[in-house]
Amino acid sequence: MTLSGDRVCLRRWRDEDREAFASMNADARVMQFFRSGLSRVESDAMVDHIEKHFSDRGFGLWAIEVPGVAAFVGFAGLEIPGFSAHFTPCVEVGWRLAFAYWGQGYATEAGRLALRYGFETLALSEIVSFTSASNRRSRAVMERLGMRHDPADDFDYPRLPEGHPLRRHVLYRLGSGRYFGR
Ligand SMILES: CC(C)(COP(=O)(O)OP(=O)(O)OC[C@H]1O[C@@H](n2cnc3c(N)ncnc32)[C@H](O)[C@@H]1OP(=O)(O)O)[C@@H](O)C(=O)NCCC(=O)NCCS
C-alpha cells in the first residue's frame, strides 16, 4: 500500500533504502536531538523494528519517496511507542528526513498523509507527537499540521537518563474531532 500526496509518496521499505537510511542516521545534523547517531548495525535494527511494527499492527513508519527527485528521503508515519507515560498507550506521528531534503515542506506533506491515514482509515480518536523541547523544526511541523501543545503535557522522556539536556519533551495532540472540523 502506498499513500500519495502532491509531491511525496509513503511506501513500504526496500532493502536499497537501508544504505541511505544509515547515512542519514550517521549525520550529526539529523541526529542533533537524539542521544547519538546510529551505527550501520543500529540503523538496520531500526528498519527491522519498523518492519515488525508493520507486520504486527498493519501500519508504521513509511519510507518517503519523492518521485523525480529521490527514491528515499527519510521516513514518516504512525507508531505505537513502546514506553509508558501519562499519555500512553497512544499512536504517534513522527518523521526524519536526510538533511539535503529539509526546508521543502516534504515532512509536513508526509505528516499530513500519515494523519489522514490514521484518522480516515484507522479511525483513531487521537494522534500525538513528541520531541525534545528544543527541536524547533519538528515542533514547527507539528504546528503546521494543526497539532496543539499544552505545557501541562510536557514530560521527561524515559529513554534518556535523568539530567540529560534533551530529556524534557513536549507533547502535541490532535483529536479526530478537530481533524474533521467538528
Ligand atoms: C523534523 C524535520 C523532518 C523537519 O524538516 P523541515 O524541512 O524543517 O520540515 P518540512 O519538510 O515540513 O519543511 C518546512 C520548511 O520548508 C519550507 N517549504 C518550502 N516549500 C514548502 C512547501 N511547498 N510546503 C511547505 N513548506 C515548504 C517551509 O517554509 C519550511 O521552511 P523553514 O524551515 O524555513 O520554516 C527535520 O528537521 C529532521 O529530519 N530532523 C531530524 C529528525 C528529527 O528531529 N525528527 C523529529 C524527532 S521526534
Side-chain angles (χ1 to χ4, degrees):
M1 186 212 55
T2 294
L3 305 177
S4 293
D6 288 342
R7 295 177 301 163
V8 312
C9 180
L10 303 190
R11 58 161 177 79
R12 290 291 295 271
W13 292 67
R14 301 182 189 129
D15 272 348
E16 310 89 89
D17 301 329
R18 288 176 180 251
E19 190 171 339
F21 189 50
S23 92
M24 64 183 255
N25 286 329
D27 182 337
R29 297 167 298 189
V30 174
M31 301 307 281
Q32 181 185 354
F33 297 102
F34 298 88
R35 202 210 294 239
S36 64
L38 301 184
S39 68
R40 175 69 199 245
V41 169
E42 290 166 332
S43 179
D44 283 347
M46 184 168 174
V47 180
D48 295 341
H49 172 81
I50 290 170
E51 284 295 300
K52 182 170 185 321
H53 194 287
F54 273 107
S55 333
D56 291 349
R57 311 282 186 173
F59 63 89
L61 300 172
W62 288 276
I64 307 175
E65 181 162 345
V66 185
V69 175
F72 177 84
V73 303
F75 71 68
L78 302 170
E79 186 172 45
I80 298 179
F83 62 87
S84 293
H86 72 274
F87 54 88
T88 63
C90 65
V91 175
E92 174 205 6
V93 61
W95 33 71
R96 186 181 303 176
L97 296 186
F99 185 75
Y101 302 105
W102 292 16
Q104 296 172 74
Y106 294 149
T108 301
E109 188 180 322
R112 194 167 285 124
L113 289 171
L115 290 179
R116 188 204 293 167
Y117 187 81
F119 288 122
E120 299 185 16
T121 302
L122 301 177
L124 299 173
S125 57
E126 182 181 67
I127 297 175
V128 306
S129 195
F130 50 83
T131 190
S132 288
S134 53
N135 191 343
R136 181 187 62 76
R137 280 186 167 273
S138 193
R139 295 181 64 163
V141 177
M142 297 169 197
E143 285 161 17
R144 280 193 288 272
L145 292 173
M147 305 189 82
R148 294 282 172 86
H149 169 232
D150 178 350
D153 274 330
D154 290 358
F155 68 106
D156 289 328
Y157 186 53
R159 288 183 171 156
L160 287 172
E162 269 181 48
H164 192 287
L166 297 173
R167 192 159 194 248
R168 199 66 185 156
H169 272 47
V170 286
L171 180 81
Y172 282 69
R173 298 178 186 260
L174 182 61
S176 58
R178 206 173 123 67
Y179 174 82
F180 287 110
R182 289 196 292 263

